[in-house]
Amino acid sequence: MASTRWRPLAVWLLTLLACLFFLPARAGVMDAASMKQAFPLPLVVGEKDKALPVWPIYKQEATETILVGYAFESIDLAPLPGFSGVPVNLLVLLDSQGGFRDVRVLSQHEPVFLDGLGPEPLEKFVAQYKGLNLKQHVKIDSRAKSAGQDASANVIIDGVAKATASVRIVNQSLMSSALAVARAKMGFAEGRDPSLIGRIREDVFEPLDFNALQRAELVTRQTLRNRDVEAAFAGSVGEGQDEEARRNPGGLFTEWMVLHLNVPTVGRNILTEKGWRYLKTWIEPGDHAFLVATRGRYSFVGEDYQGGAVPTRLTLSQGGLPIELRDLDVDDKIRLPEDWRGADVHWKVFKVISQASLDPTQPMKFALSVTREKGLILPEKVRKEFEMEIQLPEDYAIPSGNEQQSWKTSWTGRKLDLSVLAVGLALLTVMLARPAWLVRDERRMRWVRNAYLLYTLGFIGWFAQGQLSIVNLTGILQAIVNGRSLGFLLYDPMTVLLWGYAALTFFVWGRGTFCGWLCPFGALQDLISQLAGYLGVYKKWKRRAVPRVWDRRLKGVKYVVLAVIVALALIPGSNLVDSAVEVEPFKTAITLAFVRSWPFVVWAVAMVLLSVFVYKGYCRYLCPLGATMAILGRARLLRWIPRRVECGQPCQTCRHRCAYQAIEPQGQIDYNECFQCMDCVAIHDSDTRCAPLISARKGQTIPIRTIKEQVA
């Protein structure tokens, strides 16, 4: 009866969650009043744009109202998930020339800035953007020094030690959202939508030598003589500062070239086979790789260049907007002509990540900068840039199409991971739908189950970062409270696929499919418990079942924990939920692999060790996600575990063997607490462990009747 009462509610909740994906996206939290408070007089906040979630900011000067720029929230335009699965939200004021007038942190859920380093380092980090411009090449380096930056083609800002990945996510969120505003409102990059870009044709390849590549316009080269560089510095303090140029005006200053390596006709002909495979391993869909080479007396890398560093003399831009170049170590796998192998030749391979929205069908500009200075004590410096435009022939790229969306990159970029997950889910479905082969042999079942638990922990958890969490639920609830859609979830395809599979299995098997097979932290507890058994722990400290009365009471605690977390998530503007969700050790044990501050590590280790003495004690008694799964699992339509009329009366074998204590004394299965380990199914089918079958084999006349699957 209880299952029947809960089923409509569970179905309603699942339907509601599905429908919320299609609500209009309004992720921001700022309204008109809060914007006016953030930008007080003499600034004036205009009406929010109806087409783009930005607020025009004006300033009154005499009788004239001047547009200062646009204010916006980064989460509205670039909701890139952080380590917690929740995007960092920045409040940005971008002036009409693409300059950052103000950048503030509105909210963030990064573990390292919540409980490790604290929020101050992140606030100091984003403050460095004030005064910078989108047209500058902003680089992050924890070792950045202000000295010498005038001679660089890039602006380098200090990163945050121990939070490298987090600040890069913040940087990408800021730049992507700002570029979207600049494109739409300021005409940057001719107003092109960064989510609608062309892509490389992977199906076009032709074996060509280097000369043939040049004839096909796949190699872009430029030669600079000494007189060319000297002419560029004419009239500046740099004029006449190069003695070699004065002595030999016609001499070679540098010759440089650029090749687009992930174009198959280029990459497969320039790289070795090993190099091509290596390149394809390290570039995701939407990424780009360029080979840059120079020969002559001036190199693009500079005398003090170190591998992995930011190139100080080389920049890339498209449509007037800078694009970051990242060093990619494939230099020893390059096949260049003999005349490009001298002592004065330097080459590097650089990667452009997909979030930069580089469009291979549009012109790209590489610039080589040359800096000269005059004076000894306080030298005056001047820098000149020599540009070279790259245009990929149209046969090698596919123009942009309206069907492309920015979130799709997250899915196409993880095709391999998603394929491995899909195969694993399909295998699990077959095992659970047709368990006879699996449960027929106790040893086989143990090995297969443990292998799958290792797959869940190693691949789904630590490698693919697919641990579902109560944070997913609180993120959904907070999105609803703040009136935004759940579209941001699409940026995490592993989570979407796992939740989708769990939702479907709620109707067939209940909560046990996820909790018993697909939860990485649950798998970790299970494997640790078995390891303890192999090490002889239970010979010294015998694991005992929790008394039935206390087991019932303790299983209700997780629902109380869930209720508290949900209540806190529904409080607008409250940050208490960020602390409450730390009752989950998933982030520490799985997402961050125990690399976290000691209180969280102690809690996670304690919960793992608890399972050694109280089998999966955290899952059964404390887990708010488990409580959520149990509630939604009430949508289950079948009593799928076979029972006999003898189960419970008189046979108690399954109940005593159930480590989860999910079988009632009368023999019924409590599906809300069942983790679907299938031990009872194996016992039911075994004529050496099932008492009724043993009796029948001995010729006794106890009736044996199996209760088949039926509607719950």
Side-chain angles (χ1 to χ4, degrees):
M1 293 297 293
S3 179
T4 304
R5 289 197 305 270
W6 278 100
R7 190 182 306 140
L9 175 60
V11 173
W12 180 84
L13 285 173
L14 290 171
T15 304
L16 174 63
L17 294 179
C19 293
L20 285 171
F21 274 102
F22 301 99
L23 290 176
R26 289 193 300 118
V29 298
M30 300 290 285
D31 55 18
S34 55
M35 275 292 182
K36 290 177 182 177
Q37 185 177 4
F39 303 106
L41 295 174
L43 298 178
V44 178
V45 179
E47 293 291 327
K48 188 175 183 180
D49 193 288
K50 295 181 179 179
L52 194 70
V54 299
W55 306 74
I57 307 296
Y58 303 96
K59 185 176 183 181
Q60 191 72 33
E61 291 189 1
T63 60
E64 187 178 4
T65 301
I66 299 174
L67 176 66
V68 174
Y70 296 92
F72 56 91
E73 296 176 65
S74 63
I75 201 170
D76 278 322
L77 300 161
L80 302 180
F83 272 110
S84 66
V86 180
V88 173
N89 192 17
L90 306 173
L91 178 62
V92 185
L93 176 56
L94 193 69
D95 68 29
S96 56
Q97 302 302 313
F100 292 103
R101 288 280 295 263
D102 197 3
V103 182
R104 310 176 199 174
V105 179
L106 287 178
S107 64
Q108 57 92 13
H109 299 260
E110 294 302 284
V112 70
F113 294 124
L114 285 177
D115 50 71
L117 302 175
E120 292 81 8
L122 179 59
E123 293 168 357
K124 291 180 180 179
F125 172 76
V126 301
Q128 297 178 91
Y129 288 91
K130 295 179 183 179
L132 302 183
N133 194 287
L134 271 174
K135 294 184 178 181
Q136 292 177 290
H137 291 256
V138 179
K139 312 293 180 184
I140 302 171
D141 192 338
S142 298
R143 304 161 297 174
K145 298 180 180 179
S146 57
Q149 285 200 44
D150 291 338
S152 172
N154 306 283
V155 176
I156 303 175
I157 62 176
D158 288 320
V160 180
K162 299 182 180 180
T164 304
S166 290
V167 296
R168 288 197 179 278
I169 292 173
V170 172
N171 176 72
Q172 195 59 58
S173 300
L174 174 61
M175 290 300 183
S176 296
S177 58
L179 286 173
V181 174
R183 284 179 164 98
K185 294 295 183 182
M186 305 168 195
F188 280 41
E190 302 173 358
R192 290 194 303 275
D193 186 341
S195 67
L196 303 177
I197 58 176
R199 60 184 187 274
I200 298 295
R201 290 193 61 174
E202 300 290 342
D203 59 338
V204 175
F205 170 72
E206 183 181 2
L208 301 174
D209 60 19
F210 188 78
N211 291 330
L213 288 174
Q214 293 186 95
R215 291 193 296 271
E217 300 181 351
L218 293 171
V219 180
T220 306
R221 298 169 66 170
Q222 184 184 66
T223 300
L224 294 174
R225 301 290 175 183
N226 290 331
R227 56 173 169 264
D228 301 325
V229 179
E230 191 65 28
F233 283 97
S236 71
V237 296
E239 183 177 7
Q241 296 300 311
D242 187 347
E243 183 178 345
E244 175 68 20
R246 294 199 310 268
R247 186 169 57 250
N248 183 17
L252 178 66
F253 183 78
T254 191
E255 181 181 4
W256 62 306
M257 67 176 178
V258 177
L259 296 91
H260 205 152
L261 283 185
N262 54 319
V263 175
T265 299
V266 178
R268 291 177 61 182
N269 287 307
I270 289 296
L271 297 170
T272 62
E273 282 299 319
K274 181 180 179 181
W276 175 251
R277 291 194 300 270
Y278 181 88
L279 180 71
K280 298 300 288 183
T281 300
W282 282 99
I283 59 173
E284 303 289 343
D287 293 348
H288 296 271
F290 295 93
L291 168 66
V292 181
T294 57
R295 63 178 177 182
R297 65 188 189 91
Y298 188 81
S299 170
F300 70 94
V301 295
E303 296 177 357
D304 57 349
Y305 181 81
Q306 296 180 353
V310 176
T312 58
R313 297 178 178 179
L314 184 70
T315 59
L316 169 62
S317 62
Q318 188 174 60
L321 298 177
I323 293 174
E324 183 180 85
L325 293 169
R326 299 185 178 184
D327 192 346
L328 188 63
D329 185 18
V330 294
D331 296 352
D332 60 336
K333 305 171 183 67
I334 303 294
R335 295 183 297 194
L336 287 177
E338 288 299 323
D339 57 341
W340 280 89
R341 292 186 174 276
D344 62 343
V345 175
H346 297 92
W347 67 75
K348 296 292 292 182
V349 175
F350 294 99
K351 175 182 176 180
V352 174
I353 61 174
S354 60
Q355 289 86 349
S357 300
L358 180 71
D359 191 336
T361 65
Q362 301 296 323
M364 299 162 271
K365 286 187 178 180
F366 279 84
L368 183 65
S369 66
V370 180
T371 301
R372 290 184 180 180
E373 60 183 51
K374 186 176 183 179
L376 296 177
I377 299 177
L378 294 174
E380 186 177 356
K381 298 180 180 180
V382 60
R383 186 178 74 237
K384 298 295 181 180
E385 292 189 343
F386 299 88
E387 294 183 342
M388 183 166 65
E389 185 172 282
I390 310 297
Q391 177 67 69
L392 188 65
E394 60 183 18
D395 291 343
Y396 299 95
I398 302 172
S400 62
N402 292 331
E403 77 284 354
Q404 293 176 273
Q405 297 293 334
S406 57
W407 62 263
K408 289 185 179 179
T409 303
S410 301
W411 290 73
T412 57
R414 302 197 68 180
K415 285 190 294 188
L416 180 58
D417 291 350
L418 293 172
S419 298
V420 174
L421 177 60
V423 171
L425 296 180
L427 177 61
L428 179 61
T429 303
V430 172
M431 288 194 299
L432 298 181
R434 294 289 183 267
W437 173 85
L438 184 62
V439 302
R440 191 177 300 125
D441 186 309
E442 185 178 3
R443 185 171 180 271
R444 176 199 299 154
M445 179 176 167
R446 184 174 65 253
W447 278 98
V448 171
R449 176 164 170 77
N450 285 341
Y452 203 93
L453 292 177
L454 286 170
Y455 160 80
T456 296
L457 176 61
F459 174 74
I460 296 179
W462 285 330
F463 179 80
Q465 296 287 283
Q467 171 74 66
L468 299 189
S469 167
I470 195 63
V471 172
N472 304 140
L473 177 62
T474 58
I476 290 170
L477 293 176
Q478 289 177 320
I480 296 171
V481 169
N482 293 309
R484 68 176 189 260
S485 80
L486 302 186
F488 68 90
L489 293 176
L490 295 175
Y491 285 85
D492 189 358
M494 293 292 293
T495 297
V496 172
L497 187 55
L498 281 168
W499 269 111
Y501 182 81
L504 290 175
T505 56
F506 287 150
F507 293 96
V508 184
W509 298 299
R511 72 168 289 194
T513 306
F514 173 78
C515 293
W517 293 85
L518 294 172
C519 177
F521 188 73
L524 176 62
Q525 292 176 87
D526 200 323
L527 293 168
I528 289 294
S529 296
Q530 293 185 56
L531 180 61
Y534 291 139
L535 295 177
V537 172
Y538 300 128
K539 294 179 180 178
K540 188 173 183 180
W541 296 288
K542 186 176 181 180
R543 185 169 63 194
R544 297 181 181 275
V546 177
R548 184 165 175 262
V549 173
W550 279 104
D551 177 67
R552 282 185 172 275
R553 293 173 180 173
L554 289 173
K555 282 176 177 174
V557 173
K558 61 179 175 289
Y559 296 99
V560 176
V561 175
L562 173 63
V564 171
I565 291 175
V566 169
L568 294 175
L570 293 174
I571 301 175
S574 173
N575 293 323
L576 293 175
V577 70
D578 290 334
S579 299
V581 297
E582 293 297 345
V583 71
E584 265 191 353
F586 303 169
K587 184 192 304 181
T588 303
I590 304 301
T591 306
L592 300 178
F594 295 99
V595 181
R596 205 177 181 191
S597 55
W598 71 266
F600 299 95
V601 174
V602 169
W603 172 250
V605 171
M607 292 301 98
V608 172
L609 293 179
L610 175 64
S611 68
V612 174
F613 303 101
V614 180
Y615 188 68
K616 284 197 174 179
Y618 174 81
C619 299
R620 293 160 60 192
Y621 304 133
L622 289 175
C623 181
L625 180 65
T628 304
M629 295 289 182
I631 293 172
L632 296 177
R634 293 178 183 270
R636 176 186 51 81
L637 299 175
L638 298 174
R639 294 190 184 100
W640 68 276
I641 298 178
R643 299 277 82 195
R644 292 193 173 92
V645 294
E646 296 84 7
C647 295
Q649 294 293 334
C651 183
Q652 295 282 319
T653 304
C654 291
R655 184 171 77 88
H656 291 310
R657 285 290 303 271
C658 181
Y660 299 97
Q661 296 178 250
I663 301 178
E664 300 292 340
Q666 296 78 21
Q668 299 96 333
I669 304 294
D670 182 358
Y671 285 94
N672 297 326
E673 300 299 331
C674 174
F675 281 62
Q676 208 165 334
C677 66
M678 298 200 295
D679 281 347
C680 60
V681 179
I683 293 172
H684 176 277
D685 292 351
S686 173
D687 59 3
T688 61
R689 291 190 290 165
C690 178
L693 292 182
I694 293 172
S695 299
R697 190 182 61 181
K698 292 180 178 180
Q700 298 179 11
T701 58
I702 298 177
I704 302 172
R705 289 176 292 166
T706 297
I707 302 173
K708 300 295 184 181
E709 293 180 355
Q710 55 185 291
V711 176

